[in-house]
Amino acid sequence: MELWLTLLAVALVIGLFLVTSWRPDLILGCAIGLLVLTGTLTPAEALKGFSNQAVLTIALLYLVVGGLQHSGGMLWLSRHLLGSPASEWRGRLRMITPVIGLSAFMNNTPVVALMIPAVQNWCKRLQWDPARFLLPLSYASILGGICSLIGTSTNLVVAGLALEEGLTEIGLFDVTPVGLPCAAVGLVFLIFLGPRLLPKRNLTPELRPISWPQDPKEPNLNYRGALALGLLAAMVLLAATGLLGMFYAALGTALAMLVLRFLNFKAAARSVDWSVLIAIALSFGLSEAIKKHGLDRMVAQGLMDSVGQDPFWVLVVFFLATSLLTELVTNNATAVLMFPIALSAAAQLGVSPLPFIFAVMIAASSSFSSPMGYQTNLMVYGPGGYRFSDYLRLGVPMNLLIGATALCLLPWLYPF
C-alpha cells in the first residue's frame, strides 16, 4: 500500500508541475502532507531535509551572493565585462564566457537576475536585439552551473543525498572533469551555430532601473566590491584545497559579509529564495519515501528490463529519462526523484554508483528545451519576447550535444 501511495505522491508532484503555476514548495508540500497523513512517512522523515548540510549550504550561499550584490561587486563586474564589442558574435562571446565563469562559483539565478537589465542596457546602447542575447545568457549560466559543486543548487542537493547514504563526500571540483568539457562544447555551439537558431524580435527593451556605480561619488564602492569578490575567491580556495568543507567555507564567508556590513540582517533575509529553499528541504522527504518503499528498485529494474544488463546502456537510458523529466518538472525535483533510482540501478548491476550520481547532476541541470525546466530560462522568457518554440529550436540541439558529451565522458572519468 505504501508503495502505491509513494507512486501517487510522485505522480502528484509531476502532474502539478505540468498543469499548474504553483510554487515548488507548495507542490512538494502537498505531496509530503499526503505521505505524512497516510503514515507513509513519519514527521521526522518528512522534515529531515531541513537539517541536511547541503540545504544549509545553499542558504549560506544565498547570503554570499547577496553580499556580492549589495557591496557593488556584481554590478562592477557586469559593467566592466560587457564593454563595446564590434560585432554580435564578439558581444555574445564577451557575455557568455564570463557568465559561465561566474555561474560556476555562485548560484546562477542571481547572476542572471543582475545581468538581464545590464544586457538590456548594453543592447540598447549598441542597437542590438536583446532576443539574440538573453536566451544565451540563461544557457551560459546553466553551463557554468554544472562546472562545480556550488554552481547550481542541484549539485549540492545530489551531494547532500550522497552524504546521507554514507558515500564519499563530493568535493568542489569532482564534477568539473565532465562539467567543464560540456560547458566548452556548449559555448562553441552558442557562439558559432546558435545564432542561426536564435529569433529576431527587434525589440526595444523595457529597461528596469539599474544603479551603475559612480566612482567619483562613491569612492569606496569598488574597494568594497573587490573585497567581497576576494571573500568569494577565498571561500572557493578553502573548499577546493580541502582546508574547509564546503559548508564551513560558506558559513565563514557569509559571516564575513555580515560582519563587514556588506549585508544587514534585513537584506540577508531578502537574499534567500525561501520558496526554493523550502522546496529543496521538502524534496528530501520525497526521496526518503522513494527509497523506503522500494519505488527506486522498481523503476531501476524497469530500466534494466528495457535495455538489458549492460551498465553503459542503462546509464544512457537513465540520463535521457532524467533529461526529459527536468524539462517537464524542475531541476531540483528531478534530481531528488532520480537519485535513489540511480543508486538502486548501480546496486542491482553491481557497479560503482559514481557515473550514475554525476549523470543526475549533469542531466537534471541541463534544461535547455523548455522555459519551465530551469528558473533562469523562465526569467528571460518575458524580457526576450520568446516563444516556447524558441526554446525547442535552440534547446533541443543543446540537450543532445551536452548529453552526448556527458555520456562519452562519464564511464571513462568515473569507471563502472
Side-chain angles (χ1 to χ4, degrees), residues 35-343:
L35 294 173
V36 172
L37 288 173
T38 57
T40 309
L41 281 180
T42 66
E45 290 169 334
L47 300 176
K48 66 184 300 185
F50 287 92
S51 61
N52 184 275
Q53 194 173 102
V55 177
L56 299 176
T57 303
I58 292 168
L60 292 168
L61 289 173
Y62 274 122
L63 301 185
V64 172
V65 175
L68 284 169
Q69 290 177 301
H70 285 269
S71 68
M74 281 296 296
L75 276 175
W76 182 83
L77 272 178
S78 64
R79 182 187 187 188
H80 287 80
L81 290 176
L82 296 176
S84 300
S87 63
E88 266 200 21
W89 84 265
R90 290 176 187 272
R92 207 169 285 110
L93 177 65
R94 185 148 184 173
M95 177 191 72
I96 290 173
T97 306
V99 167
I100 289 176
L102 287 171
S103 298
F105 298 110
M106 61 185 73
N107 190 287
N108 41 25
T109 302
V111 172
V112 172
L114 187 71
M115 289 296 290
I116 286 173
V119 169
Q120 286 179 309
N121 275 282
W122 183 57
C123 287
K124 184 180 182 182
R125 177 165 58 86
L126 297 174
Q127 296 184 326
W128 287 343
D129 184 351
R132 309 275 296 166
F133 290 87
L134 291 175
L135 195 53
L137 168 65
S138 174
Y139 287 2
S141 76
I142 294 171
L143 292 172
I146 63 176
C147 290
S148 79
L149 182 66
I150 60 174
T152 171
S153 56
T154 307
N155 290 354
L156 283 165
V157 166
V158 173
L161 289 166
L163 205 58
E164 282 194 346
E165 292 297 320
L167 301 173
T168 305
E169 184 174 356
I170 296 175
L172 179 61
F173 295 118
D174 284 355
V175 72
T176 307
V178 63
L180 190 59
C182 287
V185 168
L187 183 147
V188 171
F189 175 80
L190 287 174
I191 296 299
F192 295 105
L193 298 177
R196 301 180 184 181
L197 304 173
L198 283 166
K200 293 183 179 179
R201 297 281 185 260
N202 296 316
L203 297 174
T204 301
E206 295 179 8
L207 302 179
R208 295 187 299 176
I210 184 166
S211 302
W212 296 110
Q214 303 296 319
D215 300 345
K217 294 182 180 178
E218 299 180 58
N220 294 325
L221 184 59
N222 278 355
Y223 168 76
R224 287 165 55 83
L227 183 56
L229 289 167
L231 289 173
L232 174 68
M235 179 189 77
V236 172
L237 185 64
L238 289 169
T241 56
L243 293 174
L244 286 178
M246 192 63 244
F247 170 76
Y248 295 101
L251 176 61
T253 308
L255 288 174
M257 294 286 187
L258 290 167
V259 168
L260 293 172
R261 303 188 71 179
F262 295 156
L263 201 64
N264 58 38
F265 288 104
K266 186 179 291 186
R270 289 197 302 267
S271 297
V272 179
D273 190 332
W274 294 103
S275 174
V276 171
L277 195 66
I278 292 170
I280 291 171
L282 288 173
S283 65
F284 278 77
L286 187 59
S287 179
E288 180 69 18
I290 291 170
K291 291 181 295 182
K292 182 179 178 181
H293 300 297
L295 183 58
D296 56 339
R297 294 188 296 275
M298 186 176 76
V299 176
Q301 187 61 54
L303 287 176
M304 286 183 285
D305 288 344
S306 66
V307 295
Q309 298 291 312
D310 187 320
F312 176 73
W313 289 111
V314 173
L315 181 68
V316 169
V317 173
F318 177 82
F319 191 99
L320 292 174
T322 305
S323 184
L324 177 62
L325 187 60
T326 201
E327 301 294 351
L328 301 175
V329 191
T330 66
N331 50 326
N332 289 320
T334 297
V336 168
L337 292 172
M338 299 304 287
F339 178 84
I341 299 169
L343 291 192

Side-chain angles (χ1 to χ4, degrees), residues 332-383:
N332 289 320
T334 297
V336 168
L337 292 172
M338 299 304 287
F339 178 84
I341 299 169
L343 291 192
S344 184
Q348 292 184 50
L349 290 167
V351 298
S352 168
L354 284 181
F356 289 90
I357 290 172
F358 287 111
V360 175
M361 285 188 175
I362 301 297
S365 295
S366 302
S367 173
F368 303 108
S369 303
S370 159
M372 291 91 69
Y374 210 96
Q375 190 170 354
T376 59
N377 286 349
L378 197 58
M379 289 165 67
V380 300
Y381 187 87

